[in-house]
Amino acid sequence: MTSDLRGRPLWERAQRVMPGGVSSNVKMDESPYPLFFTRAEGSRLTDADGNEYVDYTCGYGPVILGHAYPSVVQAVQRAAAKGFIYGGQHEGEVLLAERLAAAVPCIEMVRYCSTGSEAVAAAVRLARAYTRRKNLVRFAGHYHGWLDEQLVSSHPTAQTDVLPQAESEGQIPTATDHVLVTRWNDAPGLERLLVTRGRDVAAILMEPIMCNSGVIMPAPGYLAQVRKLCTQHGVVLIFDEVITGFRVHMGGAQALLNVTPDLAVFGKALANGFPLSCVGGSRKIMDLITSGRVVHAGTFNGNPLGVAAALATLEELGRNNGAAFARLTALGQRLMEGIRRTAVARKIPLLVQGPGPVFYAWLTDASVITDYESSARVDRAPYSRFSAALLEHGVRVIPGGRWYVSLSHSEEEIDRTCEAVGHALDVVAGGAELLAADGRGS
Ligand SMILES: Cc1ncc(COP(=O)(O)O)c(C=O)c1O
């Protein structure tokens, strides 16, 4: 379906003036080359060559209602007509903070930022100031942003509890000095770490549902146990809800799973695609900003356009007592079940798992994946061929394996997507047979 009319020349031009021809490294992974788009509407994307795709990237998570969702467009247009930035406060910020506090269990106060990475950095600074301790505990396979201390062992090649690894050249050599990395979903392991190092630990930072290395639910009782350990050891519990926030439940994963952290970070779906994020949590911690002990700033924080988009998004999501999340879950689960059935009919080993609004697919014969190591061991090359083949059949997914649905997807579209999945799986299986016949596959 993709032709080389405009997309490829654009990418070639882009590479001369933009590193990798893209604006974020992760976008370099798309095969056959990073696509360029001219339009996004509802569940659909149109590329520079006029090809249309059903979109399950959802902007890598933010698009929860659908692209160019009319009430969000109107709210942003109305706000834009009144100015983009005031260099001062406006009522929308207060309204949104009140709404966030009403919806999210841990939030008594919030501060806005523009991206998830920034909001995570603010949360960690608050935790260090509050506890007057230095160390941050995080988990292998969880991603929290690209800043120096965040890009530590998100995707380690060797699993280790003692040697956090920086992931990019140019990170300050001390970036790993105050980061302890351990296994997620392993409460006894965390307890051992806290017993020996707890007095130096300011915060435990985690995705409450691990979405960045497979979509993996916390084991039953795990989050409650972590909560208990944090309270026992005087450690601030931070949930990074940049993906799960306003995607799995109106109150985030913390409401879905009934465990309340001290601080939480939201981004992505908060404003249906506008760059707006926030850190929120208990008053006693957030008040460190009020007193001036903790510095937090940002030219674009709380900008009227992002806030207008967020208010309109939360208005839609909050209608009918959570009906939006029931629908998102039903749509996601229908798609997961359809993909599963399509693979079974072809005897292709494929695993899909996740709550529904976000889920993950691996080409593996494992029946469930509960940890980072097992997810990282799965060979990604066949999946990459699968996602490229899906593109040929008018379906765009994230090449890594994560799928997102929005409220603009329809049942009919999902059922047609499953047909495309069948064609793409045939391509992958055909490729495997060719390799085997060649003797290259063994
Ligand atoms: C869980 C999580 N936290 C933080 C971030 C960083 O957010 P941003 O890309 O907006 O800086 C991401 C980005 O994907 C994420 O998935």
Side-chain angles (χ1 to χ4, degrees), residues 115-118 120 143-146 207 212 240 242-243 268:
T115 67
S117 302
E118 276 179 274
V120 169
Y143 176 76
H144 302 291
W146 66 277
E207 299 179 49
N212 269 296
D240 178 346
V242 167
I243 289 182
K268 296 200 192 258

